Amino acid sequence: MKIGVFIPELLRHLFKKPATVDYPFEKLEVPRGFRGSPYLRPELCIVCRACERDCPAEAIEITAINEAEKRFRMIIHNDRCIHCAQCVDSCPTEAMLMDDRFEISDYSRLNLKMEWEYVRAVVKPKSEQKS
Amino acid sequence: MATVNTLIYLIIYPGLLFLFLYSTFVEWYDRKLYARFQNRMGPTHTGKFGLLQPIADFFKLMAKEDIVPERADRKMFSALPAFGLAIVFTAMLLIPVWNYSLDRPSVISFSGDIIVVLYLLSLPTFIFFLAGWSSTNLFSIVGGARVLTMLFGYEVPLFLAVLSPAVLANSWRLAEIAAFYRQHPALIPVNLLGFVIALICVQAKLERTPFDIPHAETEIVGGTFTEYSGKKLAIFRLMMDAEMVVAAGLLATVFLGGFPGGPLLGLINFIVKTLFVIFFLALIRATTSRIRVDQVVTFSWKYLAPLAVLQLLITILVKGLIS
Amino acid sequence: MKFQIPIGPQHPALKEPIGLRITVEGEIIRDADLRLGYNHRGLEKLAEQKTWIQNIYLAERICGICSHSHTTCYVQGVEKLMELEPPKRGLYIRTLVAELERVHSHLLWLGVAGHEAGFDSFFMYTWRDREIVMDILETITGNRVHYGINTIGGVRRDLDEMQVKHILDSLEILRKRSEYYRNLGTTEPSFVARLAGVGYLSPEDAVALCAVGPTLRASGIARDVRKDDPYAVYEEVPFEVCTADTCDVLGRAVVRIKELFQSYNIIEYLLKNLPAGPIAVRAPRRAKPNEVVSRYEAPRGENIHYIKSNGTDKPERLKVRAPTLANYAATIKMLKNGFIADVPLIFAAIDPCICCAERAVSVVDARSGEEKIIPMNTLKQLSQKISYGKEKKRVAEWPL
């Protein structure tokens, strides 16, 4: 046992730059591949509903507006989203992607809703493209 | 002129106003140092470098809801913070900062004032105990019991350590002790051991880590202050900060040669020397972890008290040599 | 004078709600009683309504600190049910994340132990260095807490050369810092005085009370699922099971610091021997009717998942035995005859994750104080009675 083993380390840090970041005024960069909020690229969506089926939080909702015109509406309830990116993995055409925003809080659940209206795309799924 | 001087002494410097502002500054200094030791930032945004943060905290607490427990002794519960603050502010008046004359004892500087200051610094401990006891909360009662248990540990070493420079200076008057060491700076290192002991005891008196046992938050929530809120808590916090200033001032007077010069030079001396003492207090706080109450008593009686007696012995020997 | 002190459900020493009722005589604890159920989330029932894939993310949210341990445990079980063989590279990455998680969990624990003992500087420094591991985890998985790297049949993200180099570089810093904390934690007098001899648990008691993880190993019993029943790639990786024989909180701290160094070695070995190839195989959506028990050595001890399938795409039953639950009985034993001042330390020494271990709710009558536990059958009957004749809803209505 030694008395004051910690003192050199403490004194050394007295004039060092703090390790903490003055958060709301300066921000750290998020790494590549960070899982932010999901978003849709409607030009690629083939409405296979894989994301809707696999989403653990039931945050994705796809409804048909006009079946004949192949018009669909997709709603992502970001208030329920748990940012697991399973929709990105499930999507066969890379229509779902994650952005890198992390300051997404809001005063109302409704403001967190994201909505797309689009015509179903005709794209070959990833697995078929490879083969 | 004397009346004006006394009024200034009581209300502006080093009385109410100065002590209030300086206590908040000292709290900022302590927090900032503690944070920088830990590689953090500390207060940054209220005022320049966060200097106004303690004042903001004080006023925030003043505006908060003030709750008195139903079963608590209402009068005592409410009066205790005011008593405590009054005691500490009175103790500050006895620290020889300014407005005293070495040759002529007065109300603020007389033979034996060192005993009075030490006594006034013991009283807050009883205030804390009573505060804990009168809140009728289990955690407060445990905290109050711990306050008293600790008092038996550190009080004797503190008295011995602070009184040994007085023995060497052959005076019971703070101003004279300080003047003696200013005349004989070579004798200051004789009391080095006593200074270290007094630092540790003051740390215990101020209930800071490693002696923050009476209000150890992870064990007994707020300890003695569990039931205190709002204005009363604000006053208690101010009292603790002021107590730190007074204790640092006492150590600086006794061990570091006091605060020579007039009002202005004395002020600079006071600030530099108290901040020097508080630096060590902050360092002790950052270096150690909280110990148990039984360990405090063991530590005090096993190590601090014998060392304090040793210091007294050294002082007496040196006194014999120089006379 | 004997009196009862309630520690919790809300108390600064507790990070999650649990009721500890402590009977004290002065400062000495004579008796302790644990009350669970403040944080019950009905998680096992919810698992029965979600598909195999969705349940990965549910299992992940059992715990924040050891999120990877629960998913791995679950995914291993499901892979056994589906008779899948995950590719080698996938298993290596899975083990890598597991060990990184162990590093972050143990560093976190060191900081918490420091904080509980009032050693805030130690807490700040260990947590600062824990950020290094968190950053590694964020770069390789995309999130700091819920990594979501596991999927049925492998892992979801691959490692590239840059990341491997980044991890190896960071390991050097972590090794140096951990060495420093080992010295500091075992030599700082006031800290050692708080830890040594506190919360004694004899080896016999540890076995008899089914303690797991570092709590058990600090009592001198080398029991580790990674060694005793190897899963993933632990058979190929050389490492030692760390023990201490002081049987106290200091021993538990030493075991954890030793395990940090073992984890660094494992991570280095995994990165240097990372095989090439695919990271996952395709998983079917359904599993044949069967049942399986999966074991995993979480940072806190042995984690057990029991999974039963019935041929659909949803599990029939998922039972989770979190390591904390196994350590509760030992905690009561450790608390007795200690000081009040040691309660947070002893309790923190098992590294409790309270809401992981919440599997039952005891119902207390507020007026009479009578307690009863409602069995599963009664609950089922109750729910059937309430929902009888009502329309089934797929999507839960949110309070919008």
Side-chain angles (χ1 to χ4, degrees):
Chain A
M1 266 193 234
K2 284 174 264 167
I3 292 170
V5 261
F6 209 3
I7 292 179
E9 182 83 358
L10 293 176
L11 291 178
R12 199 162 62 82
H13 281 93
L14 192 55
F15 300 106
K16 266 190 156 183
K17 204 171 159 286
T20 45
V21 178
D22 207 0
Y23 165 61
F25 304 101
E26 51 181 294
K27 285 163 191 166
L28 291 174
E29 265 180 44
V30 290
R32 207 161 43 84
F34 176 78
R35 303 202 307 264
S37 314
Y39 65 92
L40 178 75
R41 290 193 287 181
E43 67 275 13
L44 290 174
C45 182
I46 56 169
V47 200
C48 65
R49 293 176 193 262
C51 48
E52 192 186 19
R53 194 180 51 202
D54 278 348
C55 179
E58 294 174 1
I60 299 175
E61 204 180 314
I62 299 177
T63 42
I65 302 172
N66 190 331
E67 200 77 58
E69 284 177 32
K70 293 176 183 168
R71 286 190 71 82
F72 292 88
R73 178 190 284 130
M74 176 165 179
I75 301 171
I76 297 182
H77 298 271
N78 260 323
D79 50 338
R80 296 183 208 166
C81 177
I82 58 171
H83 309 281
C84 63
Q86 179 60 43
C87 46
V88 179
D89 284 14
S90 297
C91 186
T93 60
E94 294 182 351
M96 292 295 291
L97 283 176
M98 295 299 249
D99 60 14
D100 57 0
R101 290 180 307 138
F102 57 94
E103 292 163 308
I104 46 173
S105 62
D106 204 292
Y107 289 109
S108 163
R109 277 170 184 282
L110 293 169
N111 294 348
L112 290 167
K113 212 151 83 170
M114 290 211 281
E115 207 174 319
W116 289 271
E117 261 186 55
Y118 55 95
V119 179
R120 192 173 79 187
V122 189
V123 190
K124 273 186 187 164
K126 241 188 307 185
S127 51
E128 286 176 34
Q129 279 171 349
K130 274 178 202 158
S131 59
Chain B
M1 194 60 204
T3 332
V4 176
N5 265 354
T6 313
L7 274 179
I8 290 176
Y9 196 80
L10 278 177
I11 294 165
I12 298 172
Y13 170 70
L16 288 171
L17 190 69
F18 171 74
L19 191 53
F20 173 72
L21 289 177
Y22 191 56
S23 317
T24 55
F25 172 74
V26 157
E27 191 194 328
W28 172 85
Y29 174 72
D30 178 49
R31 273 168 71 174
K32 196 83 178 169
L33 265 183
Y34 191 52
R36 296 314 297 266
F37 280 141
Q38 297 175 344
N39 212 354
R40 290 188 289 124
M41 286 183 174
T44 16
H45 290 296
T46 323
K48 195 97 178 148
F49 309 117
L51 267 168
L52 296 179
Q53 190 63 51
I55 298 179
D57 287 353
F58 181 78
F59 284 112
K60 184 204 80 180
L61 272 177
M62 288 303 251
K64 291 275 172 191
E65 192 187 358
D66 198 348
I67 302 164
V68 179
E70 210 171 76
R71 279 202 279 168
D73 184 345
R74 210 184 165 86
K75 275 180 204 150
M76 185 138 95
F77 188 84
S78 314
L80 282 171
F83 268 123
L85 198 66
I87 288 166
V88 174
F89 274 61
T90 313
M92 182 62 196
L93 296 179
L94 294 174
I95 302 288
V97 185
W98 170 62
N99 208 8
Y100 64 93
S101 149
L102 256 182
D103 320 311
R104 203 157 41 84
S106 64
V107 188
I108 54 157
S109 177
F110 48 87
S111 186
D113 57 359
I114 185 170
I115 307 286
V116 177
V117 172
L118 280 173
Y119 170 73
L120 285 178
L121 280 180
S122 292
L123 277 180
T125 316
F126 288 99
I127 297 279
F128 291 154
F129 165 70
L130 286 174
W133 199 258
S134 65
S135 326
T136 64
N137 177 308
L138 275 178
F139 295 118
S140 309
I141 291 172
V142 174
R146 286 178 175 195
V147 169
L148 275 196
T149 320
M150 254 173 56
L151 181 75
F152 291 118
Y154 64 76
E155 200 70 358
V156 171
L158 177 67
F159 270 59
L160 284 175
V162 172
L163 292 186
S164 43
V167 171
L168 188 56
N170 208 5
S171 165
W172 294 113
R173 194 179 155 197
L174 283 168
E176 279 176 14
I177 297 170
F180 175 82
Y181 285 104
R182 280 204 295 278
Q183 278 160 15
H184 309 91
L187 288 177
I188 290 179
V190 175
N191 297 316
L192 188 67
L193 182 63
F195 183 56
V196 174
I197 294 166
L199 268 181
I200 295 172
C201 293
V202 162
Q203 188 82 351
K205 189 173 264 311
L206 296 172
E207 296 175 5
R208 289 146 58 86
T209 334
F211 305 104
D212 58 344
I213 306 156
H215 51 85
E217 57 154 14
T218 51
E219 294 159 22
I220 47 170
V221 194
T224 39
F225 305 132
T226 310
E227 292 293 347
Y228 276 92
S229 57
K231 295 182 194 69
K232 300 190 183 89
L233 184 63
I235 290 175
F236 262 137
R237 283 174 52 116
L238 180 66
M239 170 192 165
M240 300 273 268
D241 293 335
E243 201 186 344
M244 183 148 79
V245 174
V246 176
L250 177 69
L251 292 196
T253 316
V254 174
F255 291 100
L256 303 175
F259 323 106
L264 194 67
L265 206 62
L267 175 69
I268 295 168
N269 256 317
F270 181 75
I271 289 175
V272 170
K273 283 181 180 171
T274 44
L275 290 189
F276 177 73
V277 173
I278 291 164
F279 177 83
F280 285 108
L281 293 181
L283 188 62
I284 296 176
R285 182 171 163 219
T287 324
T288 50
S289 83
R290 185 190 311 124
I291 53 180
R292 268 201 315 266
V293 72
D294 58 317
Q295 288 167 339
V296 175
V297 179
T298 325
F299 172 70
S300 307
W301 287 107
K302 243 186 187 166
Y303 301 104
L304 285 186
L307 283 176
V309 172
L310 179 70
Q311 169 65 43
L312 199 60
L313 208 66
I314 294 171
T315 318
I316 292 169
L317 281 178
V318 172
K319 195 179 176 187
L321 281 178
I322 54 167
S323 62
Chain C
M1 191 175 80
K2 268 193 190 181
F3 55 94
Q4 230 186 21
I5 292 190
I7 297 213
Q10 305 298 334
H11 190 277
L14 302 169
K15 272 68 196 167
E16 289 166 84
I18 188 170
L20 258 175
R21 289 185 198 168
I22 289 170
T23 313
V24 292
E25 237 181 71
E27 282 260 337
I28 295 167
I29 300 162
R30 289 293 175 224
D31 199 10
D33 189 12
L34 265 178
R35 296 299 159 106
L36 307 179
Y38 292 98
N39 217 350
H40 183 69
R41 294 174 293 176
L43 190 140
E44 291 175 350
K45 185 70 194 158
L46 184 60
E48 290 163 21
Q49 296 158 6
K50 299 216 173 258
T51 61
W52 295 113
I53 292 266
Q54 289 175 331
N55 272 333
I56 301 173
Y57 304 103
L58 182 64
E60 189 155 61
R61 276 151 185 83
I62 292 173
C63 182
I65 308 296
C66 43
S67 63
H68 188 72
S69 75
H70 283 283
T71 50
T72 311
C73 200
Y74 167 78
V75 159
Q76 276 173 9
V78 177
E79 279 161 5
K80 256 187 251 174
L81 282 177
M82 293 179 173
E83 291 155 4
L84 287 175
E85 190 65 43
K88 259 278 119 73
R89 191 179 172 87
L91 283 180
Y92 264 73
I93 293 173
R94 194 181 275 177
T95 318
L96 174 77
V97 175
E99 288 306 318
L100 284 171
E101 184 191 69
R102 196 180 309 278
V103 171
H104 116 71
S105 174
H106 282 351
L107 280 176
L108 175 131
W109 182 85
L110 274 180
V112 169
H115 176 66
E116 303 285 11
F119 198 3
D120 275 356
S121 305
F122 190 62
F123 161 58
M124 295 292 173
Y125 278 91
T126 44
W127 278 42
R128 183 195 69 187
D129 296 328
R130 173 173 163 263
E131 279 307 299
I132 301 172
V133 198
M134 301 293 275
D135 284 346
I136 296 177
L137 283 167
E138 195 181 7
T139 43
I140 62 178
T141 68
N143 212 334
R144 282 161 56 91
V145 178
H146 293 302
Y147 319 120
I149 189 112
N150 277 327
T151 192
I152 296 166
V155 292
R156 291 167 58 193
R157 289 195 185 193
D158 203 356
L159 279 178
D160 61 27
E161 281 304 311
M162 286 272 285
Q163 286 167 336
V164 171
K165 201 177 160 300
H166 170 62
I167 299 171
L168 285 173
D169 290 346
S170 307
L171 269 188
E172 283 313 303
I173 307 172
L174 281 172
R175 275 220 176 92
K176 230 164 64 191
R177 295 303 304 176
S178 309
E179 191 63 50
Y180 181 74
Y181 295 131
R182 177 157 70 184
N183 284 336
L184 183 65
T186 49
T187 48
E188 167 59 37
S190 58
F191 194 46
V192 173
R194 278 310 295 279
L195 301 187
V198 167
Y200 183 79
L201 183 70
S202 66
E204 297 79 37
D205 281 340
V207 174
L209 295 169
C210 299
V212 293
T215 314
L216 178 71
R217 291 197 280 277
S219 292
I221 292 160
R223 202 169 286 171
D224 191 322
V225 183
R226 292 179 290 169
K227 209 72 168 179
D228 302 337
D229 180 15
Y231 54 89
V233 291
Y234 282 110
E235 254 171 321
E236 306 164 18
V237 183
F239 73 99
E240 285 165 32
V241 178
C242 308
T243 55
D245 42 18
T246 48
C247 310
D248 56 3
V249 178
L250 184 65
R252 279 156 223 156
V254 168
V255 165
R256 285 189 169 98
I257 297 181
K258 277 186 187 168
E259 281 186 5
L260 278 178
F261 290 102
Q262 292 300 327
S263 287
Y264 298 148
N265 291 345
I266 297 174
I267 293 167
E268 205 174 351
Y269 178 89
L270 290 173
L271 287 175
K272 293 205 166 137
N273 297 295
L274 199 62
I279 51 166
V281 290
R282 245 187 108 73
R285 291 202 65 87
R286 289 167 211 282
K288 273 180 265 172
N290 206 342
E291 56 183 355
V292 69
V293 169
S294 172
R295 300 166 80 194
Y296 179 95
E297 182 72 22
R300 291 164 166 147
E302 186 184 357
N303 185 12
I304 301 172
H305 281 214
Y306 164 81
I307 308 158
K308 190 176 177 189
S309 59
N310 56 2
T312 62
D313 61 347
K314 287 169 187 160
E316 166 116 0
R317 176 93 173 96
L318 170 68
K319 163 93 188 89
V320 179
R321 206 293 313 263
T324 307
L325 192 67
N327 276 333
Y328 277 152
T331 314
I332 298 292
K333 178 84 191 167
M334 288 186 263
L335 283 174
K336 273 179 195 164
N337 297 324
F339 291 93
I340 301 179
D342 294 332
V343 173
L345 264 175
I346 296 173
F347 195 65
I350 65 165
D351 201 357
C353 180
I354 290 152
C355 68
C356 310
E358 301 281 273
R359 292 290 161 267
V361 181
S362 60
V363 181
V364 184
D365 192 323
R367 260 161 269 158
S368 63
E370 195 185 318
E371 291 186 27
K372 58 179 175 186
I373 291 173
I374 298 179
M376 191 72 175
N377 287 340
T378 327
L379 265 182
K380 269 188 182 157
Q381 279 165 14
L382 268 174
S383 72
Q384 276 162 3
K385 211 160 80 184
I386 290 166
S387 61
Y388 182 75
K390 281 185 187 157
E391 209 179 318
K392 268 191 185 168
K393 290 176 204 154
R394 196 188 87 86
V395 181
E397 290 279 327
W398 283 71
L400 283 171

